[in-house]
Amino acid sequence: MRFRFVGRLGLADAVTVANAAVGFLAVVAAAVDVRLAARLILVAAVADGLDGVVARHRGSTDAGPYLDSLADVASFGVAPAALVAFVLLDARSFAADPAFVGVGVGVAALFVSMAVARLGLYTAYDADERETVGVPTTLAATVLAAAVIAGYTAPALLVAATAVFALLMGSTVTYPDLHAQDALVMGVVQAAVILTPLAHAVTSMLPAWIGEGFAFALLFLAVGYLVLGPRFYWGDGIRSPTTATDGDAADDRGA
């Protein structure tokens, strides 16, 4: 039997498909160990950045943008929603607090639906642009995963954050793409958060707090971009929508 995708998909596509598999593993892990699930979401985020690098150097295929959005649904839509849901269900039972648990699970479902809608719109309209409308799903998933690893596991806090991200993914707030050097820094910190448990298993020389320290650093970077990016991050040849509108208006007046 010959598989249809042999010879039609490239190396970047293989990384993207692996991203989706990691997203599924994160969902399964959330039922056992939420911090492991959070780290798997970060592994998927690293893979998401890596497939773009591979595509630029080795070329891409016509299927690439569609595969990327499908994989992101699994890794940055379903997986973080499952993470929040399992944190909630571990702390509260439906029998004891049906209203709160019902709302929390509903918010997680809303997060998934908004992620699907946002990724579909991104593939249709923003894939070739240097900015994107609505909070990127990768950013939302990274903040939620880093928060769990850093110890912010209060159900009410996570449910509230998930609801805010769901609304922001459907908003018209515009984010510029991360510059290459900043994306590299983010990836290095994500890798440090992922690898810290392995380092602790190999040696006792590392202080116990270093893992949460990297998680706090990642949370700081991600939240900084989340809050400041739409207003202050524009540059490197990318103009903010406001600047572009003002410039076009000035050109019209000059004409």
Side-chain angles (χ1 to χ4, degrees):
M1 181 177 66
R2 188 173 185 273
F3 290 104
R4 185 184 182 192
F5 53 76
V6 174
R8 304 183 72 173
L9 300 182
L11 181 59
D13 300 323
V15 177
T16 301
V17 172
N19 171 10
V22 173
F24 168 74
L25 293 176
V27 173
V28 175
V32 180
D33 185 337
V34 293
R35 283 183 169 80
L36 173 60
R39 284 187 167 86
L40 287 171
I41 290 171
L42 296 183
V43 171
V46 172
D48 186 55
L50 182 61
D51 66 5
V53 174
V54 174
R56 284 191 292 272
H57 288 83
R58 296 289 298 272
S60 59
T61 67
D62 292 340
Y66 303 98
L67 292 175
D68 190 59
S69 288
L70 289 169
D72 287 356
V73 167
S75 297
F76 311 125
V78 177
L83 175 67
V84 172
F86 277 109
V87 169
L88 171 63
L89 293 171
D90 187 56
R92 307 278 185 93
S93 70
F94 184 79
D97 197 350
F100 182 72
V101 172
V103 169
V105 173
V107 166
L110 176 65
F111 182 93
V112 174
S113 64
M114 295 300 285
V116 171
R118 188 206 174 281
L119 288 164
L121 291 171
Y122 175 83
T123 303
Y125 302 110
D126 300 339
D128 296 327
E129 302 295 331
R130 297 184 67 187
E131 64 271 347
T132 183
V133 180
V135 168
T137 53
T138 309
L139 178 62
T142 295
V143 172
L144 291 173
V148 168
I149 297 170
Y152 295 109
T153 55
L157 176 63
L158 288 179
V159 169
T162 303
V164 169
F165 279 127
L167 296 176
L168 288 176
M169 282 191 289
S171 73
T172 57
V173 178
T174 303
Y175 281 80
D177 290 348
L178 278 175
H179 302 161
Q181 67 274 16
D182 296 333
L184 178 61
V185 170
M186 186 78 77
V188 168
V189 178
Q190 287 171 329
V193 176
I194 295 163
L195 296 174
T196 297
L198 298 177
H200 280 139
V202 171
T203 177
S204 59
M205 294 179 63
L206 290 177
W209 54 263
I210 196 167
E212 287 189 359
F214 282 126
F216 276 112
L218 177 59
L219 192 58
F220 176 81
L221 292 172
V223 172
Y225 176 62
L226 171 71
V227 175
L228 302 177
R231 179 66 179 85
F232 298 105
Y233 192 73
W234 300 92
D236 190 29
I238 312 176
R239 291 194 300 169
S240 71
T242 302
T243 303
T245 301
D246 292 345
D248 292 341
D251 291 342
D252 291 341
R253 287 195 297 270

